[in-house]
């Protein structure tokens, strides 16, 4: 059975990402990416990652459930990937300023309709997860 059917949601409501040692906040949430300009030069624009796109869709459809599946969580550096979003995993009703937000941006909240499922890759063991969890201390 597919995840979208299991959770009673549509395929656009399920996002799967796989963590790895080089994965970062800029890949996961949002980051500046090179963009060609009309004058032939290269500029940089803030581009959303899978987590940001999912939370933006969740805000547009507050009556639907959205699922983020993180595969191989213990392969990534969680502090590097989640950044300030780490706080929202525990304090779901709080709002935070995002790393790349302008001063005019609204503080970010994690919609309650977003469910995050973490998958631990057993071959890397719990020691790798513990190291990742404490990397930011």
């Amino acid at each position: 059975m597919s995840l979208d059917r299991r959770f009673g949601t549509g395929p656009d409501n399920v996002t799967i990402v796989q963590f790895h040692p080089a994965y970062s906040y800029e890949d996961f949430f949002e980051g500046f990416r090179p963009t060609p300009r009309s004058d032939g030069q290269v500029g940089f624009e803030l581009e959303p990652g899978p987590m940001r796109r999912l939370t933006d869709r969740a805000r547009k459809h507050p009556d639907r459930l959205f699922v983020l599946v993180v595969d191989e969580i213990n392969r990534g550096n969680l502090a590097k990937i989640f950044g300030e979003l780490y706080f929202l995993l525990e304090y779901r009703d709080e709002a935070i300023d995002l790393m790349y937000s302008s001063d005019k941006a609204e503080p970010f909240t994690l919609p309650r309709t977003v469910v995050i499922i973490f998958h631990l890759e057993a071959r890397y063991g719990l020691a790798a997860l513990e190291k990742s969890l404490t990397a930011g201390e």
Side-chain angles (χ1 to χ4, degrees):
M1 176 182 286
S2 66
L3 285 174
D4 55 326
R5 286 186 37 220
R6 182 167 299 210
F7 288 103
T9 186
D12 291 338
N13 296 27
V14 176
T15 299
I16 300 172
V17 296
Q18 186 177 59
F19 284 4
H20 53 80
Y23 206 66
S24 69
Y25 178 92
E26 291 78 9
D27 300 314
F28 180 62
F29 191 73
E30 66 183 1
F32 285 96
R33 300 279 184 223
T35 307
R37 298 189 319 205
S38 59
D39 62 2
Q41 299 294 314
V42 175
F44 289 89
E45 290 188 21
L46 189 59
E47 296 289 336
M51 176 71 166
R52 183 65 191 238
R53 288 190 299 269
L54 187 76
T55 57
D56 288 350
R57 285 196 310 269
R59 283 185 211 304
K60 290 178 185 172
H61 304 284
D63 57 325
R64 294 190 209 161
L65 180 67
F66 290 81
V67 180
L68 174 70
V69 178
V70 177
D71 187 32
E72 298 192 14
I73 185 174
N74 49 330
R75 289 189 62 218
N77 179 332
L78 299 183
K80 177 181 163 188
I81 295 169
F82 279 95
E84 71 276 5
L85 301 174
Y86 223 163
F87 177 81
L88 295 179
L89 294 177
E90 185 171 354
Y91 301 103
R92 203 63 185 257
D93 295 324
E94 299 294 324
I96 58 169
D97 292 326
L98 298 171
M99 185 180 336
Y100 296 121
S101 293
S102 70
D103 292 339
K104 299 173 191 158
E106 290 286 320
F108 180 81
T109 58
L110 188 58
R112 286 219 163 260
T113 56
V114 173
V115 174
I116 304 172
I117 299 172
F118 296 104
H119 174 258
L120 178 75
E121 181 57 51
R123 68 181 163 183
Y124 296 107
L126 291 175
L129 178 62
E130 184 175 337
K131 181 179 178 186
S132 182
L133 289 170
T134 59
E137 294 181 359

